[in-house]
Amino acid sequence: MGIEKLTDKEEKQEKIVTMFDDIASTYDLANRVLSFGIDIQWRKKGCDKAFEILDKKELTQVTDVATGTGDLLIYWKEQAKKNGVKIDKYVGIDPSVGMLDVARKKVDFAEFIEGKAQKLPIEDESTDVISISYGIRNVVDRVEALQEFNRALKPHGIVIILEFTKQDRRGVVNKIVDFGMKKVLPRVGGLISKNYEAYKYLPDSIEEFLTTEMLAKELEEAGFEMKYIKSFSMGISTLLVAQKI
Ligand SMILES: C[S@@+](CC[C@H](N)C(=O)[O-])C[C@H]1O[C@@H](n2cnc3c(N)ncnc32)[C@H](O)[C@@H]1O
């Protein structure tokens, strides 16, 4: 019996998850400082759009994948109340035990399960909504994950993705944004988390990621109909909402 060797993809995925374990305790603080709190608006808009498109007042389950410290679940609950929507069950899924430890202390109304986007620990057609905020960029087997979202969603269920997609950054303003993302962000994030590499990974992984159009195409290929795309704050963050066909 030998020790099973990880494939290159599996090794890459393990490294990413370990990095999130390492920064879990300072993750929320770094997030708020680096986005000046604007991410809260981006998150709320994502939840509101999903409720508008779903057009249902009672949902059995909302599942937040790559939930991290569970932040988005807080806004799912707040916005559900504002929109008069009743949600029976909130579930957060993430492979990082460190991030889930923080989530469990912070969010007491949700169930948290260790798991990966490409192999969700939930039943077929069991959830009305799947959300993934700033997570899909970290999923090495992204195509498998989008197919998995389709499997786990109920018919006409909604997937919402918030992400830093790759942008064509030409022009003066875009150059300033680029400088902030590549030079300032890793230093500030590094100071807060004491892990420069983790915050250097952020702009690097955006550079390696898909454009919004490419991500929308992958969603369509995985069996979704695109319903809404909006970019916020000079294209720093993008919201994609798609419905299972
Ligand atoms: C940038 S954090 C985002 C956390 C949270 N969703 C938020 O909005 O703050 C990315 C998260 O993706 C998780 N992650 C990495 N690889 C994953 C995978 N294959 N499946 C699901 N989650 C993954 C990490 O553990 C981390 O918690």
Side-chain angles (χ1 to χ4, degrees), residues 188-225:
V188 179
L191 267 178
I192 297 172
S193 65
K194 311 231 178 334
N195 187 331
Y196 175 81
E197 281 311 310
Y199 284 88
K200 172 81 177 60
Y201 163 81
L202 180 58
D204 290 350
S205 64
I206 298 171
E207 199 73 25
E208 277 176 29
F209 193 55
L210 307 178
T211 62
T212 304
E213 293 70 30
M214 287 156 87
L215 183 54
K217 190 162 179 282
E218 284 195 358
L219 275 162
E220 283 168 352
E221 283 166 2
F224 292 96
E225 183 187 345

Side-chain angles (χ1 to χ4, degrees), residues 51-67:
F51 291 136
E52 185 189 314
I53 293 166
L54 260 176
D55 195 24
K56 278 162 99 179
K57 290 295 171 200
E58 285 207 27
L59 307 180
T60 45
Q61 185 168 320
V62 165
T63 308
D64 187 39
V65 179
T67 193

Side-chain angles (χ1 to χ4, degrees), residues 165-184 203 206-207 231-238:
T165 54
K166 188 180 163 121
Q167 304 287 323
D168 180 9
R169 296 223 173 268
R170 275 178 279 192
V172 180
V173 178
N174 273 328
K175 289 277 175 246
I176 296 169
V177 174
D178 208 34
F179 178 81
M181 299 283 280
K182 288 188 180 150
K183 301 286 180 210
V184 183
I206 298 171
E207 199 73 25
S231 69
F232 304 103
S233 310
M234 288 173 292
I236 292 177
S237 177
T238 301

